[in-house]
Amino acid sequence: MDNRRLILLTIFAFSIFMLWDGWTKHNAPPVAQVASSSAGVTASADAAIPQASTQLNGGSVPVDTAAAGAAPTVTVRTDAVVATISADGGDIVRLELTRHKATKDKTQNYVLLDNGTRHIYAAQSGLTGQGLPNHKTRFTLPEGEQVMAADAKSLTVRLDAPAENGVSVSKLLTFHRDSYVIDVAYEIRNGSDAPVRTDAYFQFQRDGEAAETTEAMGVSTFTGPAFYTDAQKFQKVSFEDIADGSAKFAKKDDNGWVAMVQHYFVSAFLPEQGVQREYFARKINDRLYTAGTILPVEEIAPGATATVGTRLYSGPQEQEHLEAIAPGLDLVVDYGWLTVIAAPLFWVLQWFHNLTGNWGWAIILVTICLKLIFFPLSAASYKSMAKMRTLGPRLQRLKEQHGDDKARMQKEMMEIYKKEKINPLGGCLPILVQIPVFIALYWVLLGSVEMRQAPWLGWITDLSVKDPYFILPIIMGATMLIQMRLNPTPPDPMQAKVMMAMPIVFTFMFLFFPAGLVLYWVVNNTLSIAQQWQITKMIESGQKT
């Protein structure tokens, strides 16, 4: 029994540690708001123009002096986004997602790119070279709000930079219906008598604060740049590594993309495959960082026109769409160290969601499937526990006879277990199996934007946050208590107290866990109770199982 006690206590300690760690970090206070403005973005970016290597066309780039004061803006409205474009650089300085609501105020759209409401976060671009427009050049904006027509499939916003030395440049932003992809392109018309050499850069500028302070099971959700190439695969880069110069990522390739990743959402510049490009990440000042890519532009002869551009995706991490948009883009969905379980788990959940139209019912159906998969293991465990339950009086007599001789009592008990073909550790197996599934489902609920603000029924309006009335956690605690009653009473009083305390402790912890996770645990416990009760009844009545 010493081994049994040790394993049970280990499981209990491990479970409590994981639950406590997840609860404390998941309920950490939100990050402080950033008090700034769009004008602050421009003023703080004086050193943010990227420099291409000698393998591209760029040389040194002088600092452009943008006009003082807050830049004019124009608003663009489509069926999916509301974008704010600044005259300075034609940058997208604010992007609202109309199909996703704010975390706290669900009457407001979710703000991804942000000009100072909570963060500084902008999608910038420009050209290198003397006299060519960069992300601080004052562009001419179209007049009035730009709204996509009801019968239109796209909307192009044209911004013109001041012509210099006979070279005129227009920036074109093309928005698409039912899409979070924005085409960003430059038209360069060389009206001079000399060839023009330049590179185009596309970058994200962001403060180093986390989008949402959400941590779970010892691993925090990531906020920061990420790079992908076929050779180097997916590489996340922390702001801290950028600041101290230790960031490691692919610098040059002819494929891949650069992104700014945060909880549930992502923005990514997606150059065409087969086009040589450079990737960069740098610290601008104590608050701001940039990450982006530089694309070469073919030399533009006098009288010729050239076009250079890329796609910008800025929206939710919807897994069924990301991979189709660009190779490897689906990797931004981070399930932590249990991805090998969480990824297929989400796939099955999504299949059931397509069948039922509700993520809550999908969780219930997945729980039933998992229970069926592990049915033989559970049956063997419950059979062992049921037999141990029938041995209760005999074990009690052993304790009375050999209570002072622990070694003798252990030997006699093991003889009984051997004779009755009982595995005293069998009851631990279902718990051991559930722990990785439990953590993986936790990450699916926290990391999948599809679960964000997804309702089940009645009072459960968001499966990714806690039950507002704590009904599910209380039911879960009750089911755990029933399970404890069905289990054989441990002969060791200390062990018995530990086991009976588990429902209380777990109920308290589950008060603050996502409702979808508690729903899984309630359904799993209910099915376990039914199975365990039936097996116990058959064993006690002398029937064969």
Side-chain angles (χ1 to χ4, degrees), residues 158-174:
R158 177 182 288 269
L159 305 93
D160 295 316
E164 189 168 336
N165 301 322
V167 180
S168 57
V169 178
S170 295
K171 183 175 182 178
L172 291 80
L173 299 171
T174 302

Side-chain angles (χ1 to χ4, degrees), residues 33-45 68-71 73 84 86 88 91 93-94 113-122 124 205 207 285 287-288:
Q33 293 191 357
V34 179
S36 187
S37 65
S38 58
V41 177
T42 301
S44 63
T73 61
T84 301
S86 172
D88 283 353
D91 300 336
V93 296
R94 185 179 178 87
L113 303 182
D114 194 347
N115 57 352
T117 304
R118 284 181 59 84
H119 296 280
I120 298 300
Y121 183 10
Q124 303 175 330
Q205 185 181 83
D207 60 44
N285 56 37
R287 294 176 52 216
L288 296 178

Side-chain angles (χ1 to χ4, degrees), residues 68-124:
T73 61
V74 63
T75 300
V76 179
R77 294 184 183 274
T78 75
D79 60 328
V81 301
V82 178
T84 301
I85 302 173
S86 172
D88 283 353
D91 300 336
I92 303 177
V93 296
R94 185 179 178 87
L95 190 73
E96 299 181 22
L97 309 181
T98 60
R99 299 172 183 174
H100 294 264
K101 299 305 177 182
T103 301
K104 293 184 178 180
D105 185 358
K106 294 180 174 57
T107 64
Q108 301 295 317
N109 295 329
Y110 187 86
V111 177
L112 182 50
L113 303 182
D114 194 347
N115 57 352
T117 304
R118 284 181 59 84
H119 296 280
I120 298 300
Y121 183 10
Q124 303 175 330

